[in-house]
Amino acid sequence: MRALRVLLVIVVILGALFVVGDRVAVSLAEEKVADKIRVSGGLAKAPGISIKGFPFLTQVAGRSLQEVDADLDGVEASAQGRTLRVSKLSARFHDVQLTSDYSSVERAASATGTARISYADLTKAAGGGVKISYAGQENGRSQVTISPNVPLLSSLKVTGSITTVGGDTVRLRADSIPAMCRTIPGCESKVRSQTDHEWKLAQLPGNLTLEKVVTTAEGISIAASGKDVELSG
């Protein structure tokens, strides 16, 4: 019995050491993955990384991580000198392959992501005293209310739609211009210059593709995804 108790104690100690070692290895790996995504995406700072699955060391032995989650702050889209701030970008990578020397990540079999943008940041990016607010959904389109800054037409409001273009661009367009504006020379072009914008999001991790925009009361949510996602850039 004494020998059995000693054996059990040894097993517990070894198990604890394995868990500690496994968690330390995860922490070091998360730092490397964060730096890789920072460099490949041209980010100002490294994202928050969480490697899922236990034990981690057996995943490393197989050169494949089950799931890697990334949270990025400070991502920006730009167009014509104006910057659109993305309040949060979250990405989830599945079946992430390691390089042959185990020193870094290489690619993921698939990935999904969500980008969130507030109406305050949309308004700031539009510039010129324009205001953008929530307008719900209609016929599958995500809509916003745009209040242009036009002299003598302070109450003018137009409904606009937000979509994605080319897999990396957020597009804002006025659906139509009110009749009272179309009767005034130059009014429509003035309004369009304030309501129609495109912002290219060039910092998507692993070149994820923007797919769908949904408007909510708090802001807009953009879904993204990718297959065979490159991470070794």
Side-chain angles (χ1 to χ4, degrees):
M1 289 297 294
R2 178 180 175 80
L4 180 59
R5 286 197 296 270
V6 171
L7 179 60
L8 288 174
V9 170
I10 293 174
V11 169
V12 170
I13 292 174
L14 290 176
L17 290 175
F18 175 79
V19 171
V20 171
D22 192 81
R23 295 303 89 190
V24 170
V26 167
S27 180
L28 293 174
E30 288 172 345
E31 290 181 8
K32 284 197 170 187
V33 173
D35 191 60
K36 175 62 67 175
I37 292 178
R38 179 190 64 79
V39 172
S40 64
L43 303 173
K45 65 177 183 179
I49 296 294
S50 177
I51 298 176
K52 305 298 183 181
F54 178 83
F56 167 71
L57 294 174
T58 58
Q59 296 183 65
V60 172
R63 285 182 53 205
S64 179
L65 307 179
Q66 296 173 17
E67 180 184 307
V68 176
D69 294 347
D71 288 324
L72 297 83
D73 295 319
V75 176
E76 296 179 340
S78 61
Q80 300 173 342
R82 293 198 179 108
T83 298
L84 173 61
R85 176 179 174 270
V86 179
S87 54
K88 186 171 184 180
L89 176 60
S90 300
R92 176 166 292 174
F93 302 92
H94 300 277
D95 298 325
V96 178
Q97 301 301 308
L98 303 179
T99 55
S100 57
D101 61 359
Y102 301 93
S103 64
S104 183
V105 293
E106 188 171 29
R107 65 180 63 249
S110 63
T112 57
T114 303
R116 295 178 178 84
I117 301 172
S118 70
Y119 294 116
D121 286 325
L122 274 172
T123 294
K124 183 178 180 180
V130 179
K131 183 179 179 181
I132 301 173
S133 56
Y134 178 54
Q137 302 271 327
E138 183 175 334
N139 299 324
R141 290 184 301 173
S142 296
Q143 297 186 312
V144 295
T145 296
I146 310 172
S147 302
N149 182 19
V150 180
L152 305 179
L153 293 175
S154 59
S155 62
L156 180 66
K157 295 181 184 296
V158 300
T159 299
S161 295
I162 297 182
T163 58
T164 62
V165 182
D168 63 356
T169 300
V170 179
R171 171 182 285 175
L172 173 64
R173 287 287 185 275
D175 294 339
S176 63
I177 303 299
M180 63 177 178
C181 179
R182 294 198 299 271
T183 62
I184 302 174
C187 182
E188 182 169 358
S189 61
K190 172 71 172 178
V191 170
R192 284 286 180 188
S193 70
Q194 298 184 25
T195 62
D196 295 2
H197 302 282
E198 290 186 1
W199 295 280
K200 186 172 183 179
L201 188 56
Q203 295 178 310
L204 291 171
N207 295 320
L208 291 177
T209 300
L210 300 180
E211 294 180 329
K212 183 180 180 181
V213 178
V214 175
T215 55
T216 70
E218 292 75 31
I220 69 171
S221 178
I222 309 172
S225 70
K227 299 286 186 182
D228 194 26
V229 178
E230 184 72 38
L231 291 172
S232 58

